[in-house]
Amino acid sequence: AQSVTQLGSHVSVSEGALVLLRCNYSSSVPPYLFWYVQYPNQGLQLLLKYTTGATLVKGINGFEAEFKKSETSFHLTKPSAHMSDAAEYFCAVRDNNNDMRFGAGTRLTVKP
Amino acid sequence: GAVVSQHPSWVICKSGTSVKIECRSLDFQATTMFWYRQFPKQSLMLMATSNEGSKATYEQGVEKDKFLINHASLTLSTLTVTSAHPEDSSFYICSAEGPGSPGANVLTFGAGSRLTVL
């Protein structure tokens, strides 16, 4: 069964700084990979996804992620953090069994 | 775009009572719906998967008789927490997919329902 590991339960950056949220996965088959964002007391909003094709995926709000099969990673980045980016971010993996599994989440704090 | 609505967003109930949470796909046919439970500052834990017209498939450790899931139509699934106790207090989130979803393998999530059992 697949699993997802998010390194760092809490990441703090200054406004304007680079955002890097790490995600590693384990899957016996090529997976589908996702990043979701959750604001307090809300559901999850899809940021971006990787299914097939180009390994660098661009999403909403200036975020992007790169699928690196050799490293089994799918790290999320944004060149310049904005205060509105403060939220909880979840990496998720889905395989052919259709089960979607989530990482533990990373809380992003943006300092002014 | 695809929208999933959950109702109620907040509910408080007394211990021993039952609570029903609805999950509706507003603009697409939800052939499959998923129910998750999220504890404070933790990730989402899959509780069950339901296909329209079929019995739900529960994850290991989830009590079927306590968390009743019904998916009788292509736009509605319900989760009923029966004989609720304080330990059932949590944030419950549904997601859905089907024809009209925003891409293959993409789930659309509801806004969640916070249950507090007194």
Side-chain angles (χ1 to χ4, degrees), chain A residues 6 32 34 36 38 41-46 49 51 88 90-91 94-95 98-105 107, chain B residues 10 32 34 36 38 41-44 46 49 59 91 93 97 102-112 114:
Chain A
Q6 289 184 241
Y32 302 110
F34 307 83
Y36 285 89
Q38 184 181 34
N41 294 310
Q42 294 188 28
L44 275 67
Q45 179 182 2
L46 180 67
K49 63 176 180 178
T51 52
E88 188 85 18
F90 292 97
C91 181
R94 196 175 194 190
D95 64 17
N98 275 330
D99 290 341
M100 179 171 277
R101 304 292 172 171
F102 289 85
R107 181 168 299 278
Chain B
W10 296 82
T32 305
F34 304 85
Y36 294 85
Q38 185 180 30
K41 299 184 179 180
Q42 294 188 30
S43 188
L44 283 72
L46 180 64
T49 302
E59 294 298 297
F91 194 54
I93 305 176
E97 67 176 351
N105 288 290
V106 176
L107 300 183
T108 302
F109 285 81
R114 182 163 301 283

Side-chain angles (χ1 to χ4, degrees), chain B residues 72-93:
Chain B
S73 79
L74 284 172
T75 59
L76 174 65
S77 177
T78 60
L79 167 66
T80 301
V81 183
T82 62
S83 186
H85 288 91
E87 57 265 31
D88 299 324
S89 298
S90 191
F91 194 54
Y92 293 89
I93 305 176

Side-chain angles (χ1 to χ4, degrees), chain A residues 75-97:
Chain A
H75 302 330
L76 180 71
T77 61
K78 181 174 180 176
S80 177
H82 191 272
M83 296 297 291
S84 62
D85 294 327
E88 188 85 18
Y89 291 81
F90 292 97
C91 181
V93 61
R94 196 175 194 190
D95 64 17
N96 290 340
N97 289 326

Side-chain angles (χ1 to χ4, degrees), chain B residues 51-68:
Chain B
N51 294 299
E52 184 266 337
S54 302
K55 289 185 177 181
T57 301
Y58 289 81
E59 294 298 297
Q60 190 173 5
V62 178
E63 298 177 60
K64 302 178 182 180
D65 296 332
K66 182 162 191 61
F67 299 101
L68 301 178

